[in-house]
Amino acid sequence: MSKDVIVLGAGIVGVSTAIHLQRRGRQVTLVDRKLPGEETSFGNAGLIQREGVVPYGFPQQIGVLVRYAFNNRIDAHYHLRALPGQLAFLARYWWHSNTKRHEIIARAYAPLIQHSISEHNDLVQASGAEELIRKNGWMEIFRSNAKRDAEFAEAERLKREFGLTFDALNSADLARLEPHIKGSFSGGLRWRDPWSVLDPHGLTSAYRRYFESLGGRFATGDAATLGQAGSGWRMMTDDGPLQADEAVLALGPWASEATRRLGYAFPLGVKRGYHMHYAPAGNAILNNWTLDAERGYFLAPMKRGIRLTTGAEFAARDAPKTPVQLDRAEAVARETFPLGERLDPEPWMGARPCTPDMMPIIGKAPRHKGLWFAFGHAHHGLTLGPVTGRVLAELMTGETPLIDISAYGPERFNP
């Protein structure tokens, strides 16, 4: 029997969820204020991070925290005026990042990451988006022997525990792989399992077109209008009122507002990030998605140009842009790779939705019939969109999910 579902949020997580529900016989309407993929899913490094089994933790060492306190780095920046409102989240984030707790979280997180490539492959093939995908991994480059050796050791550990594959590179290997990268780099590490995406927004758009080819529908509307209607859910769209038996909230950094109106209290923080595209100078070519590990910026050869991305900015979600990290990163990146002119009229900024235990929220709302959650994917929204969509659709339709998703349940924050 067909049952109507509203999926609120048309980023990579929402679009993927809508696809998997539509495949299972549900009639799905995907709703967003903007077109699919135009918010957080629009800008990132374009990696499907199969190697990312260890989520990004909060630094534990006092010396590192002191260095961050000066607020002059590329990989992290904060708004001083926003800190009072974020202290509770940051304190819980720091607590969960303790070495032992972080190890437990990584083991619970790994099954999602394990299926990231296979589930993207399913949707890439179905949507005809193969031209947007590169399957040759990505690369970290190191300026010091100490950093290089520590990362090699960590890669060996991840290989033993999670079956990941990588190449340890010396300076000659780097020169061969990236002849236009300049500077004194002691080596690199090339992760072989991940895929990269030439246009993340284009990939989400391709998935959206596939969803519509299955009979799904997209509508423009505001999540603030969602409310219970009898045994189901109702909201307003530009096409008029919309009613369904079930609703999925896949609203990324806006999920905290929608869930708060329904009586839930999720400790959802945001890490803002920026990007800018550049033309390569002269005949320079960047072959690999590349992280300057000790400076904290990323260079990615996208369809639009060389994309420079920054680390995390801790600020209010809707505060005005302050792209100081991008300016710092550009100055260093120009010394590393011959970047030409900027190609975007202004820096792009987006907000990653983060939980203090670094795992997403996936599952049934504890206190509402027919309401489901899929948000909080932090740095791995693009990576985890398809596998999240699959396991949630399986749960909603009475199938046994591909993996045990109990660790990601909403009830861990809202009993």
Side-chain angles (χ1 to χ4, degrees):
M1 296 292 291
S2 174
K3 294 176 67 177
D4 291 339
V5 182
I6 298 169
V7 175
L8 267 166
I12 189 70
V13 175
V15 171
S16 298
T17 302
I19 287 172
H20 280 285
L21 285 167
Q22 191 73 26
R23 280 179 167 182
R24 286 163 173 77
R26 301 295 173 88
Q27 185 57 49
V28 182
T29 303
L30 180 66
V31 182
D32 204 313
R33 294 178 300 179
K34 296 185 177 182
L35 291 175
E38 293 198 349
E39 288 287 1
T40 307
S41 295
F42 186 89
N44 50 52
L47 293 175
I48 303 171
Q49 284 194 262
R50 171 63 185 89
E51 92 298 340
V53 292
V54 179
Y56 295 98
F58 197 95
Q60 299 290 293
Q61 302 88 349
I62 295 298
V64 174
L65 292 173
V66 169
R67 289 197 293 274
Y68 281 118
F70 286 101
N71 208 23
N72 59 3
R73 298 176 62 90
I74 295 170
D75 56 346
H77 180 71
Y78 60 87
H79 288 188
L80 185 61
R81 61 185 175 276
L83 285 184
Q86 297 183 330
L87 283 178
F89 169 81
L90 292 173
R92 294 177 71 174
Y93 182 20
W94 175 84
W95 187 85
H96 282 292
S97 299
N98 167 275
T99 301
K100 292 297 183 184
R101 298 183 192 99
H102 202 192
E103 289 175 357
I104 294 170
I105 287 168
R107 287 194 289 272
Y109 190 65
L112 271 179
I113 293 286
Q114 179 181 348
H115 295 278
S116 57
I117 296 295
S118 58
E119 293 306 310
H120 262 288
N121 185 57
D122 172 22
L123 300 192
V124 166
Q125 296 292 324
S127 64
E130 295 91 338
E131 77 280 358
L132 297 177
I133 302 297
R134 294 266 187 91
K135 301 180 180 181
N136 58 347
W138 67 280
M139 188 167 68
E140 301 178 60
I141 56 177
F142 310 116
R143 295 171 179 267
S144 69
N145 293 343
K147 179 68 171 178
R148 178 198 63 196
D149 295 344
E151 293 301 315
F152 284 179
E154 174 66 1
E156 287 288 355
R157 183 184 73 83
L158 296 179
K159 179 180 179 179
R160 290 192 304 270
E161 294 189 19
F162 301 104
L164 300 174
T165 60
F166 68 93
D167 297 319
L169 309 172
N170 58 32
S171 56
D173 295 326
L174 290 183
R176 174 177 52 83
L177 291 170
E178 293 293 349
H180 292 104
I181 283 183
K182 304 170 291 182
S184 180
F185 289 95
S186 63
L189 192 156
R190 183 171 183 170
W191 294 104
R192 294 166 58 187
D193 302 285
W195 288 2
S196 45
V197 182
L198 288 163
D199 179 1
H201 176 247
L203 185 68
T204 304
S205 298
Y207 288 0
R208 176 259 181 111
R209 291 191 293 271
Y210 171 58
F211 161 68
E212 291 178 327
S213 77
L214 296 173
R217 186 170 73 94
F218 175 76
T220 304
D222 192 328
T225 66
L226 180 73
Q228 289 183 283
S231 61
W233 296 87
R234 177 185 173 91
M235 68 174 297
M236 289 301 300
T237 73
D238 287 358
D239 300 325
L242 175 64
Q243 190 157 334
D245 297 327
E246 297 179 284
V248 177
L249 299 187
L251 291 165
W254 294 273
S256 55
E257 294 175 5
T259 54
R260 190 180 304 116
R261 283 192 293 270
L262 297 168
Y264 296 95
F266 289 104
L268 200 67
V270 297
K271 296 180 187 177
R272 305 202 312 179
Y274 297 82
H275 81 225
M276 171 62 68
H277 292 99
Y278 300 80
N283 63 350
I285 296 173
L286 183 68
N287 296 309
N288 292 273
W289 274 247
T290 303
L291 171 68
D292 187 342
E294 284 141 303
R295 295 295 184 267
Y297 67 89
F298 205 97
L299 292 172
M302 298 284 186
K303 285 184 69 174
R304 179 167 171 76
I306 306 297
R307 180 179 289 186
L308 172 64
T309 74
T310 66
E313 181 181 62
F314 294 90
R317 186 195 63 202
D318 299 323
K321 294 178 183 179
T322 52
V324 295
Q325 286 168 287
L326 186 69
D327 294 337
R328 294 169 187 162
E330 181 180 320
V332 178
R334 287 188 180 279
E335 297 175 355
T336 303
F337 183 85
L339 295 173
E341 71 275 15
R342 289 186 169 192
L343 299 177
D344 302 323
E346 62 177 294
W348 176 88
M349 184 197 75
R352 309 175 186 98
C354 306
T355 63
D357 66 2
M358 294 159 277
M359 292 192 293
I361 295 165
I362 306 170
K364 186 181 184 305
R367 299 190 292 274
H368 288 82
K369 179 183 177 182
L371 182 65
W372 306 82
F373 298 146
F375 55 83
H377 292 75
H379 296 262
H380 288 154
L382 177 66
T383 296
L384 297 178
V387 65
T388 296
R390 175 175 171 175
V391 297
L392 185 60
E394 288 171 337
L395 189 66
M396 292 175 65
T397 56
E399 299 177 44
T400 300
L402 173 69
I403 59 172
D404 178 8
I405 62 171
S406 58
Y408 323 126
E411 60 278 359
R412 71 188 194 270
F413 297 119
N414 288 266

